[in-house]
Amino acid sequence: KKVFVVYQKIMNDIKNSEFVKKILEEEYSTNNYDLRWGLKPQRYGEVINIDVKAAYPTTLINYGIISRDTFKRMMSLPKEERLVAFGMCAKRSTVFIYKDGELLDWDVETGPFAKVFYFVVQKINEIMIRCKEIAGEYYLFHWVDGIFLEKSCPDKIVKQIVDLLKQENYNLLSLS
């Protein structure tokens, strides 16, 4: 029940946001990962992982898409439930039309605010790409909101990545 309450709060904020009107006019990438060119499958042993905490809610609040109250309510949910509450904005369903048991047609329907979800995915990926550029040759890959670096990455580079994330108002879940 709490997930649906938070989803409704997110939707109310989205519907009342002037910025969302601009978001809906654009197209966004849903890429949320990358890896070093030529990276060979192998056992890397220990690596450095810098993981962002609550990347989706933080991006929503950073761009003024949701209110502080909605952000707090989102953050009161466990991570999986936060993802569900926001992910429902990206609703996509396949609709099948039958007559007398025979398939006549089908279509894919996307929710009216799916682009908000795609916008957030793209913004997080853009931050990860900036982290990748800082990491240079020590970059292994990133997946959604976590970047993985070679264990030999100098502390100075790790600090630059952490500083960038903090400068962009992201908190770290872990640095391991």
Side-chain angles (χ1 to χ4, degrees):
K1 184 176 175 180
K2 287 182 182 180
V3 171
F4 290 102
V5 170
V6 171
Y7 166 70
Q8 286 301 321
K9 288 201 61 61
I10 294 168
M11 289 305 295
N12 286 337
D13 288 351
I14 285 173
K15 289 174 185 175
N16 293 319
S17 170
E18 287 299 315
F19 185 61
V20 166
K21 291 175 185 173
K22 294 175 186 168
I23 290 173
L24 298 177
E25 295 172 1
E26 303 294 327
E27 296 298 321
Y28 303 96
S29 170
T30 57
N31 288 343
N32 62 358
Y33 67 92
D34 197 7
L35 62 126
R36 183 170 69 200
W37 181 254
L39 187 67
K40 303 263 190 273
Q42 66 180 9
R43 188 167 175 82
Y44 282 88
E46 288 188 40
V47 297
I48 297 170
N49 169 230
I50 303 170
D51 199 29
V52 175
K53 178 182 180 183
Y56 291 157
T58 302
T59 303
L60 288 167
I61 194 78
N62 283 351
Y63 283 90
I65 297 169
I66 61 172
S67 68
R68 175 73 46 202
D69 181 58
T70 300
F71 178 79
K72 287 178 186 175
R73 287 184 184 237
M74 279 185 85
M75 295 306 294
S76 74
L77 297 173
K79 179 180 179 176
E80 294 78 21
E81 292 179 11
R82 285 195 308 260
L83 293 173
V84 170
F86 179 52
M88 286 192 277
C89 297
K91 172 189 168 262
R92 239 181 117 136
S93 56
T94 305
V95 178
F96 298 95
I97 301 169
Y98 289 90
K99 183 175 182 184
D100 298 324
E102 182 181 337
L103 178 64
L104 299 178
D105 199 7
W106 66 275
D107 195 12
V108 175
E109 293 181 358
T110 304
F113 297 105
K115 285 185 179 182
V116 175
F117 184 83
Y118 305 146
F119 168 83
V120 169
V121 168
Q122 181 174 308
K123 291 301 172 188
I124 294 167
N125 196 59
E126 288 171 1
I127 293 288
M128 291 292 110
I129 295 296
R130 289 172 60 195
C131 293
K132 171 187 173 181
E133 290 167 357
I134 293 169
E137 66 187 78
Y138 300 99
Y139 172 81
L140 293 171
F141 69 96
H142 72 269
W143 179 261
V144 186
D145 57 3
I147 185 168
F148 296 80
L149 312 170
E150 291 182 3
K151 183 68 174 166
S152 61
C153 184
D155 291 343
K156 175 183 172 185
I157 291 176
V158 172
K159 184 179 179 336
Q160 287 176 334
I161 293 170
V162 168
D163 288 348
L164 169 66
L165 292 169
K166 287 181 179 178
Q167 174 187 335
E168 297 293 330
N169 296 318
Y170 290 97
N171 294 314
L172 300 182
L173 180 61
S174 65
L175 174 58
S176 54

